[in-house]
Amino acid sequence: MTFRDRLERAMKEAGIGPTELARRVGVSQATISQLKLGTSRGPRPENLIKIARVLSVRPEWLATGEEPMRPAPTADDLDETEKEVLNTLRSLSPKDRDLLLRIIRCFAERK
């Protein structure tokens, strides 16, 4: 996957078009178009970081494809239900944690 492919994917998943990305990064729409077309060498390092932030991806992934694509979530990224689940999970014994994890995986596989 090329930089261009990764940029397209990240924009699509974020639901952000080239005009909005250009505005939020502080570059011209032509710059974003050149990146999407693969007609430039790639963004400057400072713009790469801004693009990655706007698209909620890791700069390393955007530049090289190095996984993971997204940064690890922080406590600020959790909603109240997720925080409650995590706090409850932490109060369980290791045996109960393992059991609960197996149950959650079963639910996830039903998708």
Side-chain angles (χ1 to χ4, degrees), residues 15-52:
I16 296 175
T19 303
E20 177 67 9
L21 182 59
R23 184 187 69 74
R24 291 175 63 180
V25 172
V27 297
S28 70
Q29 189 172 349
T31 297
I32 299 299
S33 294
Q34 289 171 352
L35 292 172
K36 285 181 63 180
L37 293 171
T39 58
S40 72
R41 287 194 217 159
R44 289 190 223 148
E46 63 271 17
N47 288 337
L48 176 75
I49 292 168
K50 290 177 188 177
I51 292 168

Side-chain angles (χ1 to χ4, degrees), residues 43-96:
R44 289 190 223 148
E46 63 271 17
N47 288 337
L48 176 75
I49 292 168
K50 290 177 188 177
I51 292 168
R53 276 193 196 127
V54 169
L55 299 176
S56 299
V57 298
R58 293 176 55 247
E60 297 85 357
W61 176 83
L62 190 57
T64 68
E66 176 188 316
E67 296 288 344
M69 177 182 178
R70 305 221 181 270
T74 65
D76 294 337
D77 297 325
L78 302 177
D79 65 27
E80 292 308 312
T81 301
E82 292 167 326
K83 289 177 185 176
E84 182 179 357
V85 168
L86 184 57
N87 287 332
T88 303
L89 180 67
R90 287 179 176 158
S91 71
L92 299 175
S93 70
K95 183 178 177 182
D96 287 344

